Amino acid sequence: MSIFENLNPSVSPSPAAQKPAEGSFTFVFQALPESVEEMKALPEASLDTPYKTAALTVCALCAYAAAPEIGKEMLDFLKGPAPLSPMEVSFLNDRFRDGKHIPFSYFAGATPENNYTPSQPFTVSVFSNPYSFQNEGRATLHLNSGGADSPRQIKLRLKPSEGKWYLSEQMIMVGVRTPQNDDPWA
């Protein structure tokens, strides 16, 4: 027996160190969280897969639409050790000037025709593709919007010491088709 065996015992990799499963995962929320405490009480708040973090990002952005300070608290929780920068806050504030419908467009049933009113319970699907996990400890996942023709991305990063996936960058707060109530051509 070597004297060094006890310093770094051989163990199998933790689930967080393993590559996440590829595919599509659907998350169902009976109600959207209205505070960071409510978000932390959800089973998805374990953040042990990038898919859970991505789904909660949609919820946090919906909260931001209703109450920016609460949404910011939620996003800071999802960003872990790297909270929202002033530039990211400015970007979000700019995106919401044209309407609060964009994050709701990622829930099932939300379309321009119904002014992005999601079906209830709130259901969001997050999926990967063959390129989603090219870089170890990082993931680029995708969501479909009822108001866009192509999927949008959310980038996440693993913090190995915690086994949690944190939001790195969201690219879902970009334009979608105008809600019918706001469309002068409808």
Side-chain angles (χ1 to χ4, degrees), residues 35-103:
S35 68
V36 72
E37 292 79 20
E38 285 184 19
M39 177 175 276
K40 289 178 180 179
L42 294 170
E44 293 82 4
S46 65
L47 308 181
D48 59 347
T49 74
Y51 300 95
K52 290 178 182 179
T53 306
L56 288 178
T57 299
V58 175
C59 296
L61 289 167
C62 289
Y64 199 101
E69 283 307 310
I70 293 171
K72 183 182 179 309
E73 288 177 10
M74 291 180 182
L75 289 166
D76 283 345
F77 164 69
L78 295 173
K79 287 187 63 70
L84 286 173
S85 70
M87 187 177 76
E88 289 171 309
V89 171
S90 178
F91 172 79
L92 288 173
N93 291 336
D94 182 57
R95 298 287 34 179
F96 283 117
R97 278 193 190 97
D98 292 331
K100 313 231 184 251
H101 58 279
I102 296 172

Side-chain angles (χ1 to χ4, degrees), residues 11-23:
V11 294
S12 60
S14 69
Q18 297 173 357
K19 182 179 170 186
E22 291 184 21

